[in-house]
Amino acid sequence: MNLSFFDQFSSPSLLGIPLILISMTFPALLLPSLDNRWITNRLSTLQLWFINLVTKQLMMPLDKKGHKWAMILTSLMIFLLLINLLGLLPYTFTPTTQLSMNLALAFPLWLATLLTGLRNQPSASLGHLLPEGTPTPLIPALILIETTSLLIRPLALGVRLTANLTAGHLLIQLISTATTALFSTMPAVSLLTLVVLFLLTILEVAVAMIQAYVFVLLLSLYLQENI
């Protein structure tokens, strides 16, 4: 029984072939297709309005130099948002519950922001490792602490996204299992747990959206430090 709770986090496979790539590319089918006209229907209008809103929010902390990253950050935001929301549907797999995938997204982008800072302003980027006015005896310790905090940023990004989504999926499965188990013996308690399950599902929808936004927002803040 305990192992079955974690079966939902294992990558599905068919004839020994992992299907995680299909689950990662499926959200692209929900995006508007190319057309000769700017606006084709109300759905594409709503999608374009949402993309414009997301782009404005992500570009707000950045100056004009960081606007070159608008396409990458907005695409990543929509990608994570669709995967997180689709993972809440029954009998679906959420790739963002895999730490390996989240680290594969976080590490290259974090490294790109770091290399951008080292190329454009090496003195300022290295200056973040040592705050101004630090006493001389504390300089080695502070450099070590700041370097460690810098290097664990991609790990923190990946673990944060993985932990929040995994905890939410486990809670939903536990409460839904309790609801079905109590239905025949204690219908009143089962109805109460059903209400809790409904509220938790609404909360998880909000968490899926917030975590996608936080992931990309932190990347944009890291970028702002290096441009």
Side-chain angles (χ1 to χ4, degrees):
M1 177 63 71
N2 292 333
L3 291 178
S4 64
F5 288 144
F6 294 92
D7 287 345
Q8 60 177 318
F9 304 118
S10 60
S11 177
S13 60
L14 179 64
L15 300 176
I17 302 174
L19 302 179
I20 187 172
L21 292 178
I22 297 179
S23 61
M24 290 174 59
T25 55
F26 180 76
L29 301 177
L30 303 178
L31 298 177
S33 57
L34 296 177
D35 195 271
N36 294 329
R37 294 176 292 177
W38 282 102
I39 297 176
T40 55
N41 51 40
R42 294 179 180 177
L43 179 60
S44 63
T45 304
L46 181 62
Q47 289 174 331
L48 291 174
W49 170 81
F50 177 74
I51 292 173
N52 185 35
L53 178 64
V54 169
T55 306
K56 283 184 178 180
Q57 292 295 324
L58 294 178
M59 293 299 106
M60 211 176 291
L62 301 176
D63 54 18
K64 290 184 178 180
K65 294 181 180 179
H67 291 179
K68 301 175 183 177
W69 292 61
M71 182 68 72
I72 297 176
L73 296 178
T74 304
S75 301
L76 180 62
M77 169 72 183
I78 296 173
F79 174 72
L80 292 176
L81 182 62
L82 290 177
I83 283 184
N84 292 348
L85 292 177
L86 290 175
L88 294 174
L89 296 176
Y91 303 104
T92 55
F93 172 70
T94 312
T96 44
T97 56
Q98 306 295 310
L99 182 60
S100 57
M101 174 187 167
N102 295 334
L103 289 179
L105 291 174
F107 183 77
L109 292 173
W110 166 83
L111 185 61
T113 61
L114 184 62
L115 294 179
T116 300
L118 292 176
R119 184 189 66 178
N120 295 335
Q121 45 179 14
S123 299
S125 297
L126 294 176
H128 290 304
L129 301 179
L130 184 63
E132 187 177 356
T134 303
T136 304
L138 297 179
I139 289 179
L142 279 179
I143 291 178
L144 182 61
I145 293 173
E146 291 296 330
T147 304
T148 304
S149 65
L150 178 66
L151 295 178
I152 65 172
R153 281 181 175 182
L155 180 62
L157 283 175
V159 170
R160 181 187 295 108
L161 182 58
T162 303
N164 282 282
L165 294 180
T166 302
H169 283 66
L170 280 177
L171 279 175
I172 288 178
Q173 185 168 0
L174 286 171
I175 295 178
S176 60
T177 303
T179 302
T180 55
L182 295 174
F183 182 75
S184 58
T185 56
M186 292 181 286
V189 178
S190 178
L191 182 61
L192 180 60
T193 55
L194 182 62
V195 174
V196 174
L197 179 62
F198 176 73
L199 296 177
L200 181 61
T201 304
I202 296 177
L203 177 63
E204 282 306 308
V205 171
V207 168
M209 300 172 66
I210 292 172
Q211 288 304 316
Y213 176 70
V214 168
F215 187 93
V216 183
L217 180 63
L218 288 176
L219 281 175
S220 66
L221 293 177
Y222 298 158
L223 177 63
Q224 178 60 29
E225 292 181 0
N226 293 283
I227 57 175

